[in-house]
Amino acid sequence: MEVDVFNRTQTTDKIISATAYNFTIGLTLCWGFAINWLMVTNISPESIAAINPWIFFIGYFASCFFGLYLFSRSNNPLVSFIGYNFVVVPFGLIINLVVSQYDEALVSEAIRITGLVTIGMMCLGSLFPAFFQKIVGALTIALLLVIVVELIEVFVFGVHHGILDWIVVLIFCGYIGYDWGRANQIPKTLDNAIDSAAALYMDIINLFLRILRILGRK
């Protein structure tokens, strides 16, 4: 998903090496995934499901948007990292509810596939950044259309077509390639590394949830 960090072309912050920059992105992603894993293993899905739906969703979106605002607007790595965690925690609650519906073997397979696809798209994003930059507009329009269609299907017709999950997988594959390519075109600072990881985290988690749903139907 595109955030303000990718529009940064100049900086007065300290530039770090490409190795340190990419290592920071990877470490920040691993932190988010570790927090999610701890939440899944230590918080019962029943306790989350018991929360009033309106309170849950208002809190979820409030936390995500606040976190997004912090890491996309701040040039301070610590503030950006705090914002990142405001996104990771509500995502972890959703992940907990979703994975509780599937057996561990299926979840592990979804994690493996998501990891392989992510690495592949990052490689493509590094090789063809201009291509992903050209298609990002189409990706955004397609994602908005899918969201609208899904909402209508679920709340009006009470159905869900599996083809939509495949479409969303393709969309977030595109976003991963785009965000990774853009992450390596902006100044390599510690703050930009954390912000880039936050954007990639949201892409990867959305990809994982859709892959899990596809595998679950099989």
Side-chain angles (χ1 to χ4, degrees), residues 14-90:
K14 180 182 178 181
I15 301 296
I16 60 178
S17 69
T19 300
Y21 181 77
N22 290 326
F23 178 75
T24 302
I25 292 177
L27 195 62
T28 305
L29 284 171
C30 288
W31 169 271
F33 299 147
I35 293 297
N36 292 157
W37 179 79
L38 287 172
M39 293 178 71
V40 169
T41 55
N42 291 285
I43 301 175
S44 68
E46 292 79 14
S47 63
I48 301 173
I51 301 172
N52 181 282
W54 283 106
I55 294 176
F56 179 84
F57 283 109
I58 290 172
Y60 171 84
F61 286 110
S63 181
C64 283
F65 281 117
F66 179 65
L68 182 63
Y69 175 81
L70 284 183
F71 77 71
S72 63
R73 299 294 181 178
S74 172
N75 289 322
N76 185 315
L78 179 58
V79 173
S80 292
F81 185 69
I82 292 171
Y84 173 59
N85 282 275
F86 269 98
V87 173
V88 166
V89 171

Side-chain angles (χ1 to χ4, degrees), residues 17-178:
S17 69
T19 300
Y21 181 77
N22 290 326
F23 178 75
T24 302
I25 292 177
L27 195 62
T28 305
L29 284 171
C30 288
W31 169 271
F33 299 147
I35 293 297
N36 292 157
W37 179 79
L38 287 172
M39 293 178 71
V40 169
T41 55
N42 291 285
I43 301 175
S44 68
E46 292 79 14
S47 63
I48 301 173
I51 301 172
N52 181 282
W54 283 106
I55 294 176
F56 179 84
F57 283 109
I58 290 172
Y60 171 84
F61 286 110
S63 181
C64 283
F65 281 117
F66 179 65
L68 182 63
Y69 175 81
L70 284 183
F71 77 71
S72 63
R73 299 294 181 178
S74 172
N75 289 322
N76 185 315
L78 179 58
V79 173
S80 292
F81 185 69
I82 292 171
Y84 173 59
N85 282 275
F86 269 98
V87 173
V88 166
V89 171
F91 265 71
L93 296 176
I94 295 295
I95 293 168
N96 196 335
L97 289 172
V98 174
V99 300
S100 66
Q101 303 172 35
Y102 303 94
D103 62 60
E104 291 185 9
L106 200 66
V107 174
S108 297
E109 185 179 358
I111 292 172
R112 175 176 57 82
I113 294 173
T114 301
L116 292 173
V117 171
T118 297
I119 291 171
M121 295 312 301
M122 284 180 171
C123 291
L124 291 175
S126 296
L127 293 172
F128 310 106
F131 168 75
F132 287 99
Q133 197 163 353
K134 288 180 181 178
I135 68 170
V136 69
L139 292 175
T140 302
I141 294 172
L143 181 59
L144 291 173
L145 285 174
V146 169
I147 291 173
V148 171
V149 170
E150 281 194 316
L151 290 174
I152 293 173
E153 280 199 330
V154 172
F155 292 105
V156 177
F157 299 106
V159 297
H160 178 82
H161 293 293
I163 187 64
L164 293 176
D165 291 324
W166 285 98
I167 294 172
V168 173
V169 164
L170 292 175
I171 289 171
F172 279 104
C173 281
Y175 269 123
I176 291 172
Y178 172 72

Side-chain angles (χ1 to χ4, degrees), residues 152-211:
I152 293 173
E153 280 199 330
V154 172
F155 292 105
V156 177
F157 299 106
V159 297
H160 178 82
H161 293 293
I163 187 64
L164 293 176
D165 291 324
W166 285 98
I167 294 172
V168 173
V169 164
L170 292 175
I171 289 171
F172 279 104
C173 281
Y175 269 123
I176 291 172
Y178 172 72
D179 285 347
W180 178 255
R182 294 272 281 177
N184 284 278
Q185 291 178 346
I186 59 177
K188 291 178 172 58
T189 66
L190 184 60
D191 182 69
N192 282 351
I194 294 172
D195 295 346
S196 297
L200 285 163
Y201 166 85
M202 292 185 285
D203 298 337
I204 295 168
I205 291 300
N206 278 292
L207 177 65
F208 163 73
L209 292 174
R210 293 295 176 155
I211 288 176

